[in-house]
Amino acid sequence: MGEDEWAPFSNSDEWGLAEWLIKHVGQTPTDEFLKLPINRVQPSFHNNRAFLRKIDMLPHGTPWICKKVTVQGNKQDADGQMLQENVEVWMRNPVECIRELIGNSSFKEHMAYAPSRAYTDQAGLHRVIDDMWTGDWWTETQERLPKGATIAPIILASDKTCLTQFRGDKSAWPVYLSIGNIAKEKRRQISARATVLIGYLPAGRLDCFTSDARSLAGYRLFHHCMSLLLEPLIAAGRDGVDMVCADSLIRHVYPILAAYVADFPEQCLVSCCKENRCPKCLVAADERGDPLTSLMRDPEAIKNILQKRKNGQHPVEFDDFGLRAVYKPFWNDLPHVNIFIAFTPDLLHQLHKGVFKDHLVKWCLDIIGEEEIDARFRTMPNYPGLRHFNKGISTVKQWTGTEHKEMQRVFIGIIAGAVSNQVMSVARAILDFSYFAQLQVHTNESLDGMNNALKVFHDNKDILTELEVREHFNIPKLHQLSHYVHSIRLFGTADGFNTELPERLHIDFAKEGYRASNKRDYEEQMVLWLQRQEAVFLRGSYINWLSKSHLTSAADHKCGLNFDSDSEIEDGQQLHRDAAPHSPGPLVLPITERRIVHVLAKTPAHPRQSVQYLETAHGATAFLPALRLFLQEHVPQNSIIPGPQDRFDVFRQVVIIAPPDPRIIDLPTQWCIRAMPERHPSPGSRKPGSPSRFDMALISNGAEMLRPCTLEGLRVAQVRVIFTLPRQFGPYPRTLAYVEWFTSLKAPDPFSGLRQVSRSTRQLHRNAAVVHIDEIVRPCHLIPKMGPSVDPSWNSGNVYELASDFYLNTFIDVDTFCISRASTLTPNLLL
């Protein structure tokens, strides 16, 4: 930078204070703090005004500008004059924002500059689709550009949001930008700032228009303001711009709008169509519930129709296509843009909230009844990390996306036995589609699974009409599912374009800035606040970069998981999909280490526990016979027979660390398996006790400790005790677990897809055994077989003891879903 690293501040202490103040303290409290007589720091700024003057001296990102737009209404004032409304568009040059993103050195290892095909095999037979550069859009667009061109695929997102919580009607309409060159894992990290704010659109009510004209006026204003915002992309996308990239090379970059992340109403707004039509294809308004293959909307044809309408003509396609009279859409002049294929899957609003919660759950509530559904949810056994709806679901007034997903994890087991086979096929098809759509890596097999799930739904949906719970299936969000596979093939997996990210960004880029304003003319204050936050972030990143450059290489390579354990974690080779190719050509994904690691506390939570305690508190009624059999097999040299006098060190839980599965998650997975007896509240204490937790687990047959790819060779058991052998039995380094077996998994039910198990017995007693703790592969979840109506004596705490038959819940997480569908998914990523 050519100056002291702390400038314009005096030293590191003053910079640390400034960084803390700008991030966490408002202007008035800052002023009060700096005037406190006990303030011994004595910074070079003595009040808030001087402090902000220092902040404004810091380098910041692309500057903000404001353009005023006058909107001519169709209403008259008292003098007979037509009403006008002046609105402001706050914006930053998107080309300069792209220049900053593609040149950010912190993204160097997470950046791609050319399309590539990824495969799981050297022969290139099994294609993999994950990040944007592995999709077809980039390859097809690259062929239309000059040789040596580098594409910066623009990902736009816009979403109107309310700024006030309990009163007022203040709104903002942020527009966000990212580029597909950056790996989706990095784009999803809020702290990485790989998605930037480029503008605020007017969010007023347009009171200068009558109610019947206001909607169309809003359409036109949106497109006019977006045209102003994106105007620099026209020349840049046509001619290209030289940019310094993250690897310090200069490339001729063509920034081209590729993807647009928005909910359904905003997709219709962008595509200039009515909300009773599909913004992507030409399906008729009353045929969206049918499994049809409709023509996609063509940008050139739509432009011609709108131009004819502007010239006073009345083309029949205008009404047939459900268009709105927006004569110059913002995407009209953007080069190489097909806005209609740009709309990406919206998992949050279309799947989790839309098709699942608003439709499937409602249909099943109508069929089964609210009281019975609530009773079934209350009976659901506990599982680590699973939300328990202890009051049912019918009384919940406001749902979040997280709660929708939590409901999906148990829903098939909830309705099993209470609905007909056809209804179960409908529900399973929707859940199958949802889980396939959430995969972070797709193959032809998983995409075929999505298509097959949709086919099963359409083949069985008429049962809902026969049961009079649905009159038709002309549902916009249901129709959108038919475009998912095509979109994934074009742009990569859906997790890179979810609307959950823009909604989270509203907090940082809209709501926090509004709270920092005086609530009057707030947008100008918001952009100034954001500019200052960005300046501090940039300086902080620069200082961190300077400090890291002085670290030794050994410190640079320190990584791993922090656990309070003396267990060694073996570092396996991880699949770095974010380390993308810099040149065209096939990418063969590396083999991923599948070894799992078991981690226990350094010291047992309950040392020297008696056998009687294990039998009563843990329910380990056959502990001694099971231990004797184990010692005979694994410690044959031992001559001591375990008895009631022996004492054992007992652990509360084991943590299992599994390497990343590229289809599901990019980081190691951590599972917890608990073996905790009931804890009663202490006398006189306000702290309540806790119920017992004896989790279910999948246990291998003693093979190598690998992350499972299938259910083959695995057996369900309930873990009752986690313990170590006392010294009198000789040195034995491996930790043990007392488990109660279930029967082998039956074949999947043809309608629910669930596998049934029951308690395994031997001579009318539960079949128990002692196994090595490292034979436990992962936790699992069992759902009791409830039948047409749930037993009223069952509850979440006792159902594992009272029920006799269970379903293995293969929807408890995406990992279990994948291993249960091993025959339809390509497991090569882990083999």
Side-chain angles (χ1 to χ4, degrees), residues 122-171:
Q122 293 287 348
L125 301 177
H126 298 282
R127 184 184 173 191
V128 172
I129 299 175
D130 57 354
D131 257 303
M132 198 169 187
W133 53 78
T134 64
D136 294 334
W137 177 90
W138 200 332
T139 301
E140 295 169 359
T141 307
Q142 189 78 48
E143 293 173 353
R144 300 198 298 266
L145 296 179
K147 186 177 180 180
T150 298
I151 297 177
I154 298 172
I155 304 169
L156 288 183
S158 61
D159 181 36
K160 192 174 182 179
T161 183
C162 184
L163 297 174
T164 51
Q165 289 183 327
F166 304 109
R167 59 189 180 91
D169 58 351
K170 305 297 185 183
S171 299

Side-chain angles (χ1 to χ4, degrees), residues 261-279:
V261 180
D263 57 19
F264 180 77
E266 197 135 341
Q267 289 181 8
C268 295
L269 171 65
V270 172
S271 61
C272 307
C273 75
K274 299 177 181 177
E275 292 188 16
N276 66 344
R277 301 302 181 98
C278 174

Side-chain angles (χ1 to χ4, degrees), residues 719-780:
V719 181
R720 288 283 184 177
V721 187
I722 302 171
F723 67 100
T724 54
L725 277 180
R727 293 181 179 177
Q728 63 264 30
F729 297 106
Y732 200 81
R734 298 169 72 180
T735 308
L736 307 176
Y738 171 87
V739 302
E740 293 177 347
W741 292 112
F742 284 70
T743 57
S744 300
L745 294 169
K746 294 183 179 180
D749 179 84
F751 302 102
S752 69
L754 301 179
R755 296 169 178 259
Q756 189 173 325
V757 295
S758 57
R759 292 270 184 188
S760 176
T761 58
R762 179 177 295 175
Q763 298 178 348
L764 301 181
H765 294 283
R766 292 184 178 179
N767 184 11
V770 171
V771 301
H772 295 107
I773 199 73
D774 51 31
E775 294 175 19
I776 300 177
V777 174
R778 56 152 298 150
C780 67

Side-chain angles (χ1 to χ4, degrees), residues 288-289 355 359 363 470 472-480:
R288 289 174 294 175
V355 175
H359 296 291
W363 299 336
R470 185 74 195 181
H472 64 84
F473 297 94
N474 191 31
I475 304 170
K477 293 176 181 177
L478 178 61
H479 169 76
Q480 292 302 308

Side-chain angles (χ1 to χ4, degrees), residues 374-383 388-391 414 678 691-693 718 781-784 786 790-803 806:
D374 288 343
R376 288 169 175 258
F377 270 101
R378 289 194 296 267
T379 306
M380 189 55 51
N382 187 271
Y383 179 84
H388 183 236
F389 296 92
N390 53 8
K391 295 183 179 180
I414 287 285
E678 181 181 7
S692 61
R693 298 280 187 251
Q718 186 174 26
H781 186 232
L782 299 186
I783 298 178
M786 303 181 197
V790 65
D791 189 325
S793 66
W794 291 357
N795 60 50
S796 178
N798 66 18
V799 69
Y800 275 153
E801 305 302 320
L802 299 182
F806 301 86

Side-chain angles (χ1 to χ4, degrees), residues 49 105 339 366 444 499 615 725:
R49 185 176 180 182
S105 59
I339 197 65
D366 292 341
N444 289 331
T499 53
E615 293 176 343
L725 277 180

